[in-house]
């Protein structure tokens, strides 16, 4: 039956030719190459759970009176969107698990993208010929962040309404065109009744379509260019070593999909996320209430932290105002993603390295790049932590003013320290050839066919019967090439 | 290998068990109302207790001491009961934020002290409330408008300026909540009868009582601290578990 | 335990969990049980697949050549030639230019419908719903009288008849008379110790709802700006750059609090044409 179907398809589409090549496609065995797959599988979960949610969610801001089963909001006025979120959580069987899986998957999706980006950055995998895929990847990050923001804004609870208002105010602060931009994007002065419908279309149609399309391009380019690989015995710029797609890698990858989904399902059922019924409805007419501990989701947290640590400065001149939130809210993300987009070209300018690279750097092989990356990560980590300054303040009982002032200093000092420490750590690691997670110092001894022993030089060919594990271990002992 | 899978299963099962166990009665504890301060004997007994612990800061007859403690004349039974029954008084260090701690006096002694303070001048009486009266949804609305800005939507508390904190409300009894609304202890504003009438206070109290054990239908509540703990769970538990899986997949047998 | 046994146990557990999941759903659903059972069902299959995959292939690492990425020189030249067939001939080039012009004009005209997405800003950001004589109304729809608040009390108020105006909420505080140090020109704005400030933070518009009664400070819960109520709500700390706009108050003959006029400056976050 299966065979006949395959023949039927093949005679019409010529599938067997492609499948034959695809089955032999080689995937590197190193675990770090699977982080991107985690992100991809989270996207699958997001789409499946998201489609389910759209059957129940009502993207409308019209006012309704709640008569569902959650007692503490009986008779309350709220938007239809918020009411349908409550119904999803209380009335729709399995609805809450789906909603929570969707939200957890979004948080993990972005985390996995960031780790994947770090892997690509710190190993130099973005270099020629992979610049285009780097740009697509950064675009995917930006779009996923935006879509996450639109997604949690849809529920129209008190917390998300506050977040939308912050977004509106940042748009408003843009010089010259800010008022028009904010009015056109949000449909008029905030608060209004337009934005939920707009965000819904962006969240479920436009951005997902773009994300899926770009991911397709990302994978197609990867397929064409083949994976990078770490240096090792027998590995060159012109070959690729690893496992074939069929059968074992395919089975492992599908297994990973199941495990990723299992983790998200367990979180979705056992760990409560975004309990909108406790936040209460956002009242666009009054916009009066707020809640202590107003934070965005983590991937927007660094922006909120930047808003918090920014001192109260703004530019007022010639009858115009460049308002305070413009700098942390628009300039900072602009610079962040601008530099990310341009990084492959910036690095090329400084290293003068225009060659194609299929062999990866270990982070220590490029001390300056690694140190810059670590310093940048520390910068955004501090911003993220600063976004929780009120939570830190009440947990550690330090005045929020002191914490904010501390962050205003740390934000400059820590990245510099991290840069210096990382750079010198990379250099000393590169000198000593010691793998930070184990590995031995010293030379290897081999028994000769004649029965004697001899030290193995790094340039010796490997013994024919050596296992791959030996090769990898040996690869780590090879001297690193000089830093760029 | 098997042990690792078993551990995961055990953790999942354990968490499930905990979540199921947490479905308990949510009605607030009802406390007998202690509204009326007692007669002269109680006032006298209270005065003696007062003389031992309170005069340094509040003066011998409750007139207050400059830079140490405010006058207690006219603060009423509600204030005295609130500060004493939450352990906020006596205060270890003057002029710091009084925080909930172990109660220093027995219920009888508190009644005596309250009677003494109430005898100093007319002031707010101890409200008669239980966690069961009032309207839950109305209480929710009032709480969102008046209380959540400082105490947070879930009653977890929050930071104000100058190292002052709005306390979490999970340990406040119905009477203490009502007292705080009426007297505005510390940095808290006063909500008088023209802002919130007694019925509305009862509703607020009911909602605060509900928040002690809110409907955590979604599972473990993560301390009701919002997106920050959620972010940590996503990174450490979520992505962490997946990265461990990936590392395991990447190893050979 | 041999791999086959382990795989069998995992798949059995997965099957049972999946059946259990269906059972929980039929019985009415319970989020924790649903999540945990779904997790076990999926994890069982996942781990089993990976264990199974390890036994599928014993070939170890495979090495393959990458092959060239770019095309040959002939390919490139052939493509260029074919493109130039069209673009190099002078007559065709001018037609091509016209195509570009028409396409550009079409793209430009397609931009205009964006204008329909929102109204012109106009003076929407400069004014609120407060008018001379507007009475103050609280969130319960009650009008605010001169004796509504005790000293130290606070409430959120809106202009009567414009409860839907999102830019008009104020926080009303009653201070002791004489406590407030009014700014020049605002001496008559705070009758009987009542003072009203716009509740919309001049930073990014969060509601400035936290009133710290002992230090007379308003706090914004989003980014921790603090405002000194006694000093015209001047920002003490945080990213806010401007004082909260003050609403000029008065008491009408019936004893209701009213606004003398709209705010004398735009409320909420800053923007290009604010001043």
């Amino acid at each position: 039956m299966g065979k006949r179907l395959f023949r039927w398809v093949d005679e019409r589409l010529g599938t067997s030719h492609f499948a034959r090549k695809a089955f032999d496609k080689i995937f590197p065995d190193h675990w770090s190459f699977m982080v991107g797959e985690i992100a991809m599988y989270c996207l699958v979960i997001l789409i499946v759970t998201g489609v389910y949610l759209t059957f129940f969610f009502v993207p409308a801001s019209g006012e309704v009176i709640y008569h569902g089963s959650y007692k503490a909001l009986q008779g309350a006025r709220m938007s239809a969107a918020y009411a349908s979120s409550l119904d999803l959580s209380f009335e729709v069987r399995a609805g809450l698990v789906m909603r929570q899986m969707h939200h957890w998957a979004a948080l993990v999706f972005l985390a996995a993208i960031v780790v994947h980006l770090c892997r690509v950055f710190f190993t130099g995998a973005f270099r020629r010929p992979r610049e285009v895929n780097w740009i697509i990847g950064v675009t995917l990050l930006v779009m996923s962040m935006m879509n996450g923001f639109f997604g949690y804004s849809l529920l129209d609870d008190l917390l998300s309404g506050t977040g939308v208002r912050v977004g509106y105010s940042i748009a408003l602060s843009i010089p010259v065109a800010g008022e028009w931009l904010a009015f056109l994007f949000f449909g008029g002065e905030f608060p209004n009744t337009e934005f939920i419908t707009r965000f819904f279309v962006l969240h479920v149609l436009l951005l997902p379509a773009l994300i899926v399309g770009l991911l397709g391009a990302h994978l197609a380019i990867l397929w064409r260019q083949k994976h990078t690989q770490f240096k090792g015995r027998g590995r060159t710029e012109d070959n690729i070593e690893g496992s074939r797609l069929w059968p074992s890698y395919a089975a492992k990858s599908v297994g990973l999909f199941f495990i990723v989904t299992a983790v998200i399902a367990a979180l979705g059922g056992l760990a409560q996320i975004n309990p909108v019924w406790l936040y209460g409805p956002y009242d666009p007419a009054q916009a009066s209430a707020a809640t202590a501990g107003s934070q965005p989701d983590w991937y927007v947290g660094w922006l909120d932290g930047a808003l918090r640590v920014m001192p109260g400065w703004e530019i007022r001149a010639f009858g115009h105002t460049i308002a305070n939130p413009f700098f942390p809210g628009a300039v900072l993300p602009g610079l962040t993603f601008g530099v990310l987009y341009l990084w492959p070209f910036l690095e090329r300018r400084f290293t003068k390295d225009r060659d194609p690279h299929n062999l990866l750097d270990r982070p220590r092989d490029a001390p300056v790049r690694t140190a810059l990356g670590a310093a940048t990560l520390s910068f955004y980590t501090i911003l993220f932590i600063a976004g929780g300054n009120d939570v830190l303040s009440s947990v550690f009982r330090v005045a929020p003013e002191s914490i904010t002032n501390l962050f205003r200093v740390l934000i400059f000092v820590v990245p510099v320290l991290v840069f210096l420490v990382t750079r010198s750590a990379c250099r000393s690691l590169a000198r000593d050839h010691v793998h930070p997670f184990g590995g031995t110092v010293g030379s290897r001894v081999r028994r000769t066919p004649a029965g004697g022993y001899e030290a193995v030089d790094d340039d010796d060919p490997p013994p024919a019967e050596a296992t791959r594990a030996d090769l990898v271990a040996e690869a780590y002992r090879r001297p690193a090439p000089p830093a760029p | 290998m098997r042990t690792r899978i078993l551990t995961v299963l055990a953790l999942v099962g354990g968490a499930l068990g905990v979540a199921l166990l947490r479905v308990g009665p949510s009605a607030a504890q009802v406390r007998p109302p202690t509204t009326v301060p007692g007669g002269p004997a109680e006032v006298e007994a209270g005065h003696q207790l007062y003389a031992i612990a309170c005069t340094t800061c509040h003066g011998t007859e409750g007139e207050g001491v400059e830079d140490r403690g405010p006058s207690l004349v006219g603060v009423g039974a509600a204030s005295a009961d609130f500060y004493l029954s939450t352990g906020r008084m006596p205060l270890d260090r003057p002029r710091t934020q009084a925080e909930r701690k172990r109660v220093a006096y027995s219920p009888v002694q508190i009644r005596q002290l309250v009677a003494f303070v109430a005898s100093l001048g007319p002031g707010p009486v101890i409200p008669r409330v239980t966690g069961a009266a009032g309207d839950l949804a109305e209480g929710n609305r009032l709480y969102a408008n008046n209380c959540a800005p400082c105490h947070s939507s879930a009653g977890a508390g929050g930071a104000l300026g100058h190292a002052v904190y709005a306390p979490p409300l999970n340990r406040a009894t119905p009477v203490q909540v009502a007292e705080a609304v009426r007297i505005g202890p510390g940095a808290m504003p006063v909500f008088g009868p023209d802002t919130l009438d007694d019925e509305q206070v009862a509703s607020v109290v009911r909602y605060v009582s509900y928040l002690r054990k809110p409907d955590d239908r979604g599972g473990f509540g993560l301390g009701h601290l919002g997106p920050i703990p959620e972010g940590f769970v996503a990174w450490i538990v979520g992505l962490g578990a997946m990265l461990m899986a990936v590392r395991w997949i990447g190893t050979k047998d | 335990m041999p791999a086959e046994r382990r795989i069998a146990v995992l798949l059995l557990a997965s099957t049972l969990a999946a059946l259990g999941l269906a059972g929980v759903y039929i019985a009415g659903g319970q989020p924790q049980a649903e999540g945990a059972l779904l997790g076990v069902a999926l994890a069982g299959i996942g781990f089993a697949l990976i264990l199974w995959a390890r036994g599928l292939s014993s070939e170890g690492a495979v090495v393959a050549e990458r092959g060239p990425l770019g095309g040959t020189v002939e390919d490139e030249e052939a493509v260029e030639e074919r493109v130039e067939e069209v673009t190099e001939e002078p007559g065709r080039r001018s037609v091509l230019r016209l195509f570009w012009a028409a396409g550009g004009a079409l793209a430009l005209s397609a931009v205009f419908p964006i204008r329909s997405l929102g109204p012109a800003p106009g003076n929407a950001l400069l004014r609120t719903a407060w008018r001379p004589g507007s009475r103050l109304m609280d969130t319960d729809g009650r009008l605010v009288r001169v004796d509504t608040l005790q000293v130290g009390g606070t409430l959120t108020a809106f202009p009567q008849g414009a409860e839907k105006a999102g830019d008009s909420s104020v926080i009303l505080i009653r201070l002791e008379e004489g406590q407030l140090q009014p700014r020049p020109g605002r001496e008559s704005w705070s009758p009987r110790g009542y003072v009203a400030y716009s509740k919309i933070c001049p930073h990014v518009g969060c509601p400035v709802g936290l009133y710290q009664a002992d230090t007379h400070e308003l706090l914004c819960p989003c980014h921790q700006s603090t405002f000194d109520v006694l000093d015209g709500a001047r920002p003490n700390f945080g990213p806010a750059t401007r004082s909260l706009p003050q609403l000029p108050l008065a008491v009408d003959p019936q004893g209701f609090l009213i606004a003398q006029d709209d705010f004398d400056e735009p409320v909420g976050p800053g923007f290009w044409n604010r001043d």
Side-chain angles (χ1 to χ4, degrees):
Chain A
M1 177 62 214
K3 251 183 207 165
R4 274 181 56 195
L5 180 69
F6 177 71
R7 290 254 159 80
W8 191 90
V9 174
D10 185 42
E11 280 159 14
R12 283 153 185 85
L13 301 171
T15 342
S16 63
H17 178 71
F18 174 76
R20 197 176 160 198
K21 271 175 71 181
F23 281 0
D24 279 343
K25 175 96 185 149
I26 289 174
F27 289 79
D29 285 320
H30 197 268
W31 63 273
S32 65
F33 288 88
M34 294 186 102
V35 179
E37 277 180 48
I38 294 180
M40 182 171 78
Y41 292 143
C42 283
L43 181 62
V44 174
I45 303 170
L46 282 166
I47 291 171
V48 172
T49 54
V51 167
Y52 189 80
L53 296 178
T54 53
F55 296 146
F56 306 98
F57 179 73
V58 180
S61 50
E63 193 174 88
V64 297
I65 301 205
Y66 180 70
H67 291 296
S69 64
Y70 183 63
K71 295 209 170 47
L73 283 167
Q74 280 302 326
R77 292 167 184 279
M78 55 185 65
S79 66
Y82 180 74
S84 69
S85 316
L86 292 180
D87 288 343
L88 245 173
S89 309
F90 288 91
E91 259 66 53
V92 178
R93 227 183 275 182
L96 182 60
V97 169
M98 287 286 185
R99 217 199 91 209
Q100 296 202 132
M101 280 178 69
H102 192 72
H103 204 142
W104 281 120
L107 297 192
V108 177
F109 177 51
L110 276 144
I113 291 179
V114 169
V115 174
H116 176 60
L117 180 135
C118 288
R119 198 273 292 173
V120 170
F121 178 86
F122 286 111
T123 58
F126 53 81
R127 291 173 297 176
R128 186 179 167 195
R130 294 181 177 79
E131 305 96 324
V132 174
N133 238 10
W134 168 266
I135 288 170
I136 293 177
V138 175
T139 311
L140 281 168
L141 170 65
V142 176
M143 292 192 164
S144 306
M145 278 180 58
M146 287 177 14
N147 216 27
F149 177 78
F150 292 140
Y152 76 71
S153 299
L154 284 178
L155 277 67
D156 206 27
D157 58 288
L158 184 54
L159 204 54
S160 75
T162 310
V164 176
R165 174 148 223 164
V166 174
Y168 164 82
S169 301
I170 290 171
L172 200 60
S173 73
I174 295 171
V176 187
E179 291 148 63
W180 274 100
L181 285 175
F183 272 56
L184 292 180
F185 191 78
F186 291 85
E189 188 183 8
F190 190 88
N192 62 45
T193 52
E194 303 290 325
F195 77 86
I196 290 178
T197 328
R198 287 191 188 177
F199 281 19
F200 183 70
V201 173
L202 291 172
H203 180 74
V204 306
L205 180 70
L206 192 61
L207 282 168
L210 286 170
I211 288 172
V212 170
L214 283 172
L215 178 63
H218 201 64
L219 295 177
I221 292 173
L222 165 76
W223 194 275
R224 176 76 187 90
Q225 296 182 332
K226 299 191 169 70
H227 279 84
T228 51
Q229 61 186 346
F230 282 105
K231 287 167 191 152
R233 252 313 135 73
R235 297 185 192 167
T236 67
E237 292 284 4
D238 301 318
N239 69 11
I240 167 118
E241 185 191 280
S243 304
R244 283 196 261 201
L245 174 64
W246 194 263
S248 69
Y249 191 85
K252 282 178 182 175
S253 185
V254 176
L256 177 64
F257 168 70
F258 278 92
I259 291 175
V260 167
T261 318
V263 172
I264 296 292
L267 281 172
L270 301 175
Q272 179 165 284
I273 186 164
N274 199 19
V276 285
W277 56 92
L278 292 179
Y279 298 140
Y282 186 70
D283 187 339
Q286 304 188 334
S288 61
T291 168
S294 289
Q295 260 94 23
D297 276 359
W298 77 262
Y299 48 87
V300 193
W302 58 278
L303 274 173
D304 199 49
L307 284 169
R308 290 176 191 224
V309 295
M310 178 77 189
W313 301 329
E314 67 183 19
I315 297 171
R316 269 171 260 177
F318 309 112
H320 291 295
T321 304
I322 301 178
N324 176 288
F326 174 67
F327 304 102
V331 174
L332 175 72
L335 276 176
T336 302
F337 293 112
V339 171
L340 262 183
Y341 272 119
L342 292 177
W343 181 260
F345 312 102
L346 290 174
E347 186 178 295
R348 176 180 305 176
R349 259 190 110 87
F350 289 106
T351 59
K352 311 266 186 270
D353 176 3
R354 288 180 169 73
D355 296 333
H357 291 278
N358 293 316
L359 286 177
L360 296 174
D361 288 335
R362 288 171 304 172
R364 79 186 77 162
D365 299 337
V368 175
R369 178 207 295 145
T370 303
L372 274 175
T376 309
L377 279 182
S378 73
F379 177 79
Y380 290 102
T381 307
I382 291 174
L383 281 184
F384 170 74
I385 299 171
N389 60 355
D390 53 336
V391 173
L392 285 176
S393 164
S394 50
V395 170
F396 294 107
R397 295 283 145 142
V398 183
E401 291 90 341
S402 319
I403 292 196
T404 304
N405 282 329
L406 178 68
F407 281 126
R408 284 171 180 170
V409 176
L410 291 183
I411 200 75
F412 293 105
V413 174
V414 172
V416 173
L417 289 179
V418 168
F419 177 85
L420 295 173
V421 169
T422 311
R423 193 181 55 177
S424 82
C426 284
R427 284 178 177 165
S428 80
L429 278 171
R431 251 196 323 273
D432 301 340
H433 320 313
V434 182
H435 188 260
F437 303 122
T440 47
V441 190
S443 58
R444 228 158 54 103
V445 173
R446 185 165 73 197
R447 189 160 186 202
T448 60
Y453 292 91
E454 63 178 26
V456 181
D457 271 352
D458 282 323
D459 296 332
D460 266 12
E465 68 281 10
T467 65
R468 228 188 67 76
D470 289 333
L471 293 177
V472 171
E474 194 173 356
Y476 283 130
R477 284 193 291 274
R478 298 181 74 202
Chain B
M1 179 50 240
R2 192 179 53 159
T3 48
R4 220 187 283 175
I5 292 177
L6 285 179
T7 320
V8 171
L9 289 179
L11 282 174
V12 171
L16 178 63
V18 170
L20 290 176
L21 276 179
R22 287 165 67 252
V23 183
S26 68
Q29 301 297 308
V30 179
R31 208 181 84 144
T34 52
T35 331
V36 189
E42 280 207 314
V43 172
E44 183 48 37
H47 196 177
Q48 280 169 17
L49 286 168
Y50 178 88
I52 297 167
C54 316
T55 46
T56 325
C57 299
H58 293 295
T60 48
E61 296 299 324
E63 71 278 10
V65 175
E66 184 90 55
D67 284 343
R68 286 240 185 92
S71 161
L72 299 182
V73 178
V75 300
S79 284
D81 185 61
F82 176 82
Y83 279 103
L84 292 165
S85 70
T86 59
R88 286 186 164 81
M89 290 291 149
L91 195 56
D92 297 331
R93 286 182 305 154
R95 307 188 52 186
T96 54
Q97 181 179 4
E99 296 198 52
R100 178 179 279 275
K101 56 180 186 291
R102 228 174 64 84
V103 180
Y105 297 101
S106 71
V108 175
Q109 288 173 316
I110 290 178
R111 267 177 51 170
Q112 294 166 342
L113 278 163
V114 167
F116 169 70
V117 173
S119 74
L120 295 173
V125 297
I126 299 175
R128 261 177 204 280
V129 286
T130 66
D135 182 279
L136 187 64
E138 169 78 350
N140 187 353
R141 191 181 66 80
L142 294 166
Y143 181 88
N145 280 327
N146 297 298
C147 319
C150 299
H151 292 286
S152 98
S153 300
L160 306 171
H162 312 295
V164 174
Y165 305 91
L169 302 177
N170 54 349
R171 291 169 64 198
T173 66
V175 172
Q176 289 164 354
V177 174
E179 286 168 345
V181 168
R182 286 291 186 238
I183 65 170
M188 180 168 159
V190 177
F191 296 87
D194 289 309
T195 322
L196 294 174
D197 61 33
D198 286 350
E199 225 169 286
Q200 290 178 314
V201 172
S203 297
V204 170
V205 168
R206 169 121 191 244
Y207 188 70
V208 173
S209 304
Y210 160 74
L211 282 183
R212 293 174 75 162
K213 217 177 210 181
D215 189 347
D216 282 341
R217 203 178 137 70
F220 179 53
L222 306 179
H224 298 113
L225 289 173
I228 294 223
E230 288 165 7
F232 278 105
V233 169
W235 270 92
I236 294 163
V237 180
L239 190 63
M242 292 172 198
L243 289 178
M244 274 163 61
V246 154
R247 284 219 66 163
W248 174 65
I249 293 170
T251 59
K252 295 277 156 178
D253 306 77
Chain C
M1 187 153 55
E4 285 73 22
R5 280 272 288 285
R6 281 195 253 164
I7 292 170
V9 169
L10 283 166
L11 291 177
L12 194 66
S14 170
T15 310
L16 290 176
L19 293 175
L21 180 62
V24 168
Y25 184 89
I26 292 165
Q30 204 286 335
Q32 281 68 56
E34 286 162 7
L37 288 170
L38 181 57
V40 172
L42 291 162
I45 295 178
F47 281 105
L49 261 172
I50 290 162
L51 286 179
W52 186 58
R54 294 184 163 188
L56 277 180
S57 150
S58 53
E59 64 183 2
V62 182
V63 179
E65 293 304 308
R66 283 182 186 275
L69 267 182
T72 61
V73 178
E74 292 100 83
D75 288 341
E76 286 168 11
E77 278 172 358
V79 170
E80 275 165 27
E81 214 170 283
R82 296 294 301 279
V83 172
E84 282 165 7
E85 275 174 27
V86 178
T87 56
E88 288 303 288
E89 198 189 307
R92 286 182 183 158
R93 269 165 81 174
S94 49
V95 174
L96 266 181
R97 248 181 248 132
L98 286 177
F99 270 117
W100 279 114
L106 183 62
L108 187 71
S109 68
V111 170
F112 281 85
I114 292 176
R115 172 65 184 80
S116 306
L117 288 174
N123 65 356
L125 292 169
L126 306 176
R127 300 197 56 186
T128 73
W130 290 102
R131 298 284 172 271
S134 299
R135 284 180 175 166
L136 276 72
M137 207 174 76
D138 72 5
T139 47
D140 293 332
R142 295 178 300 201
L143 291 172
V144 181
R145 300 186 60 90
V146 73
D147 52 1
T148 294
L149 285 184
Q150 301 175 352
V151 170
T154 163
L155 61 73
T156 300
F158 307 91
Q160 180 188 15
E163 300 81 19
K164 298 273 171 196
D167 55 4
S168 305
S169 62
V170 296
I171 182 149
L172 180 73
I173 300 166
R174 188 167 192 186
L175 303 164
E176 305 227 21
E177 281 185 64
Q179 240 180 346
L180 184 78
Q181 284 119 42
R183 299 220 175 135
R186 294 184 177 181
E187 289 83 358
S188 68
W189 287 14
S190 46
R192 316 270 182 96
Y194 278 100
V195 59
Y197 294 110
S198 166
K199 204 174 171 178
I200 298 159
C201 186
H203 176 224
V204 287
C206 290
V208 184
L210 292 71
Y211 178 52
Q212 207 171 327
D214 55 349
T215 54
H216 304 291
E217 274 177 316
L218 281 165
L219 281 95
C220 178
C222 290
H223 306 97
Q224 285 75 46
S225 296
T226 59
F227 302 90
D228 185 349
V229 169
L230 300 185
D231 186 13
R234 186 178 51 79
N236 272 344
F237 185 81
T241 51
R242 285 183 301 270
S243 304
L244 298 172
Q246 186 179 349
L247 185 72
L249 293 178
V251 180
D252 73 5
Q254 287 86 41
F256 292 107
L257 277 183
I258 57 168
Q260 295 181 25
D261 201 348
D262 198 357
F263 296 98
D264 63 354
E265 57 181 321
V267 300
F271 51 95
W272 181 247
N273 286 317
R274 185 181 180 280
D275 299 309

